[in-house]
């Protein structure tokens, strides 16, 4: 059951990051989940463990990390569209 919560919270964090930045994450729901999980890892490495914790996610660092990830992915996708 813990793994299911991990996926749900990761998806919500990825979705919120895309919503805040106004950028669409490639891959739909799977992309949101990946962005949330990888964003949580990035945020944990950059900011540490602080703030409210839900299902092994520290929400504030995870959201900030997901914002960074979505921004970088959107820049890469934008440059790929220009190149083609």
């Amino acid at each position: 059951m813990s793994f299911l919560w991990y996926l749900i919270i990761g998806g919500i964090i990825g979705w919120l990051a895309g919503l805040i930045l106004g950028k669409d994450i490639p891959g739909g729901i799977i992309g949101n989940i990946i962005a949330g999980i990888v964003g949580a890892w990035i945020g944990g490495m950059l900011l540490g463990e602080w703030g409210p914790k839900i299902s092994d996610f520290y929400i504030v660092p995870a959201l900030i990390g997901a914002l960074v990830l979505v921004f970088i992915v959107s820049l890469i996708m934008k440059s790929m569209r220009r190149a083609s």
Side-chain angles (χ1 to χ4, degrees):
M1 190 68 174
S2 175
F3 182 70
L4 182 61
W5 278 114
Y6 194 74
L7 293 176
I8 291 170
I9 301 300
I12 291 171
I13 289 172
W15 173 74
L16 281 174
L19 191 67
I20 290 170
L21 289 176
K23 308 287 184 188
D24 195 22
I25 300 171
I29 294 172
I30 302 298
N32 285 335
I33 292 170
I34 292 170
I37 293 172
V38 173
W41 179 77
I42 291 170
M45 296 306 258
L46 294 175
L47 303 171
E49 299 174 345
W50 56 277
K53 180 179 177 182
I54 300 175
S55 181
D56 295 335
F57 284 97
Y58 287 91
I59 300 301
V60 176
L63 184 57
I64 293 170
L67 288 168
V68 169
L69 179 68
V70 169
F71 181 72
I72 291 171
V73 168
S74 69
L75 287 178
I76 292 170
M77 296 300 288
K78 190 176 183 180
S79 68
M80 287 176 60
R81 277 185 239 134
R82 283 187 194 164
S84 57

